Amino acid sequence: MTNNPVSIGSVSCGAGRPLVLIAGPCVIESESLVLSVCEKVKAITDRLGMPYIFKASFDKANRTSINSYRGPGIEAGIKTLAKVKATHDLPITTDIHTEAQCALAAEACDLLQIPAFLARQTDLLIAAAKTGCAVNVKKGQFMAPWDMNHAVKKLADAGCPNVLLTERGTTFGYGMLVSDFRSLPIMRRSGAPVIYDATHSVQMPSAQGEKSGGQRDMVPYLARAAVAVGCDGIFLETHPDPDKALSDGPNMVPLDELEALLTACLRIREATGIS
């Protein structure tokens, strides 16, 4: 059995709860950057009355090129995330890629994120479950939404009832993703709250040769559509200058455009009455 709503630190996500935001820069570029981004996003969500979970990765293990920036690594990265948590007093999430990373990440994080490419990795799911943290599993780009029931069951059987599922697009030919919004109510039937990842859904894998491209201008359309269909939270990566970001710049939302987008999403949520 899974919990719905799910408690993630001070945030409650799911049935009857407000729309949650999971947001931050794609990767930890520096301590000063993540602290600054978190401060600005938290100010926005405080104004809007929106629950907020900060996200940044200590390692992007699935970069297209071996020459691409991956992050500071787990030891330095977790120290930075712990400082963000202590400074801004809010829940934290980050990606994990191996079983050994789970316990270390859990020292600073309230929510462990399973990357889409690893959604079927049973041992990783079990190790994440054993930390006692809530776990967010991103649907593999190669998976049907109903197949995520297996991820939920693996986690629940391993002792983790606090599960989120995230939709982030489905592979559509080469170098393109498409969002099938039927996946949101389908995955909700698992009993787990469902998040929509609006920035990775516009990613164009390997479109720029040694790195991925993206259609940043499409993010607002997809985010608004997901809220209208019904989701429990929105995942957005944001950066003060995405064109200079060290990872996933083409699909990140400029920080100065974030508040307008979130305001629109909240208005749609209120109009639909979905919760």
Side-chain angles (χ1 to χ4, degrees):
M1 296 291 292
T2 58
N3 294 331
N4 193 343
V6 169
S7 294
I8 306 155
S10 58
V11 169
S12 182
C13 178
R17 298 299 191 266
L19 189 71
V20 169
L21 176 68
I22 301 175
C26 177
V27 68
I28 298 171
E29 298 181 15
S30 68
E31 182 178 286
S32 61
L33 176 79
V34 295
L35 285 166
S36 174
V37 170
C38 183
E39 179 180 15
K40 291 174 182 175
V41 177
K42 188 173 185 296
I44 291 169
T45 55
D46 284 349
R47 284 195 293 272
L48 297 178
M50 192 174 192
Y52 174 41
I53 300 168
F54 177 80
K55 180 269 170 189
S57 298
F58 59 80
D59 179 23
K60 300 299 293 185
N62 58 351
R63 295 302 305 272
T64 301
S65 170
I66 197 168
N67 298 315
S68 295
Y69 177 74
R70 289 179 50 168
I74 189 165
E75 291 187 9
I78 293 303
K79 287 181 181 178
T80 296
L81 292 174
K83 185 167 184 178
V84 173
K85 183 175 183 176
T87 302
H88 295 294
D89 189 27
L90 79 176
I92 302 292
T93 187
T94 196
D95 298 292
I96 50 173
H97 303 90
T98 68
E99 298 151 58
Q101 291 176 347
C102 293
L104 289 170
E107 293 177 6
C109 296
D110 307 271
L111 177 67
L112 300 182
Q113 182 169 286
I114 308 295
F117 287 121
L118 301 176
R120 290 175 56 96
Q121 294 299 105
T122 302
D123 290 344
L124 179 60
L125 292 170
I126 291 172
K130 289 181 177 178
T131 65
C133 291
V135 179
N136 178 22
V137 188
K138 290 199 166 185
K139 180 180 75 64
Q141 302 93 323
F142 47 88
M143 292 175 67
W146 45 86
D147 287 335
M148 293 300 288
N149 291 331
H150 300 300
V152 173
K153 187 174 189 307
K154 288 174 183 178
L155 287 163
D157 287 354
C160 177
N162 296 308
V163 181
L164 304 180
L165 299 179
T166 293
E167 168 61 52
R168 51 94 74 233
T170 301
T171 300
F172 185 71
Y174 295 123
M176 185 68 70
L177 299 171
V178 65
S179 289
D180 178 358
F181 287 107
R182 293 176 300 175
S183 70
L184 301 179
I186 289 170
M187 289 200 296
R188 265 184 151 192
R189 292 171 193 160
S190 71
V194 172
I195 310 299
Y196 181 70
D197 181 345
T199 46
H200 286 104
S201 291
V202 302
Q203 190 178 56
M204 301 173 73
S206 305
Q208 297 183 8
E210 288 199 343
K211 57 184 179 179
S212 294
Q215 294 177 302
R216 185 187 306 147
D217 59 313
M218 292 289 110
V219 170
Y221 297 102
L222 295 183
R224 295 194 299 258
V227 174
V229 170
C231 59
D232 300 287
I234 293 290
F235 179 106
L236 294 166
E237 289 185 335
T238 186
H239 193 280
D241 189 354
D243 290 334
K244 294 182 180 177
L246 299 182
S247 176
D248 275 6
N251 48 266
M252 278 201 281
V253 175
L255 191 53
D256 61 5
E257 297 177 13
L258 182 63
E259 186 164 4
L261 173 55
L262 295 178
T263 299
C265 287
L266 291 173
R267 288 175 177 169
I268 291 168
R269 168 89 161 191
E270 182 179 6
T272 63
I274 297 172
S275 64

